[in-house]
Amino acid sequence: ASALRLRPACRPPLATCVRSNSNRAAIGHLHRQLYGRRYPVLLVSTDGSTVRLRYGEPKRILMMPLDSNTLPEAERKARLRRHFPSKPKAKEEETFEGIDLDTYKKFWKK
């Protein structure tokens, strides 16, 4: 019966063991993932169907990206125009040549 007894897990010697205490946390960072648990999230696909799943970050809804290759040509070009709008045109600078300064003379301090 003693031969069938399971031995405890082997531990490394104390010299090579890394202890996780307050001193270690002050020197470096803790070696673990950002979120150790999984959160319930609603996944929305491009056709509108939804699936509940467990995700590593606390979010309410995840949306799948839309494949632009499956869209009609007109809708695809409209989406591209919204994502990459044209550059604003340069406006003409105002000059003081056409302004009659005598009309504003009453606002100047003497």
Side-chain angles (χ1 to χ4, degrees):
S2 62
L4 295 177
R5 191 179 305 156
L6 298 175
R7 294 181 5 193
C10 294
R11 294 184 182 170
L14 276 176
T16 60
C17 183
V18 178
R19 293 184 172 220
S20 298
N21 57 18
S22 63
N23 296 331
R24 176 166 167 70
I27 294 171
H29 66 280
L30 296 176
H31 297 284
R32 68 176 103 157
Q33 293 178 351
L34 186 60
Y35 297 104
R37 59 170 288 203
R38 300 286 182 173
Y39 298 88
V41 173
L42 187 68
L43 177 70
V44 180
S45 64
T46 55
D47 61 351
S49 61
T50 59
V51 178
R52 291 205 171 269
L53 53 91
R54 308 288 287 175
Y55 193 65
E57 296 180 13
K59 295 184 177 186
R60 292 186 182 200
I61 295 177
L62 280 177
M63 295 185 73
M64 296 292 289
L66 185 65
D67 186 14
S68 62
N69 295 331
T70 60
L71 293 176
E73 188 68 23
E75 191 174 340
R76 188 173 63 81
K77 286 185 178 180
R79 287 179 66 86
L80 283 174
R81 262 187 259 117
R82 279 188 303 224
H83 279 279
F84 304 106
S86 60
K87 295 180 181 176
K89 296 179 182 176
K91 296 180 180 178
E92 295 182 17
E93 295 183 15
E94 292 185 20
T95 59
F96 297 107
E97 296 171 0
I99 297 175
D100 184 22
L101 296 178
D102 291 333
T103 57
Y104 300 102
K105 202 172 205 178
K106 59 184 175 186
F107 297 113
W108 297 340
K109 292 183 178 179
K110 294 184 180 180

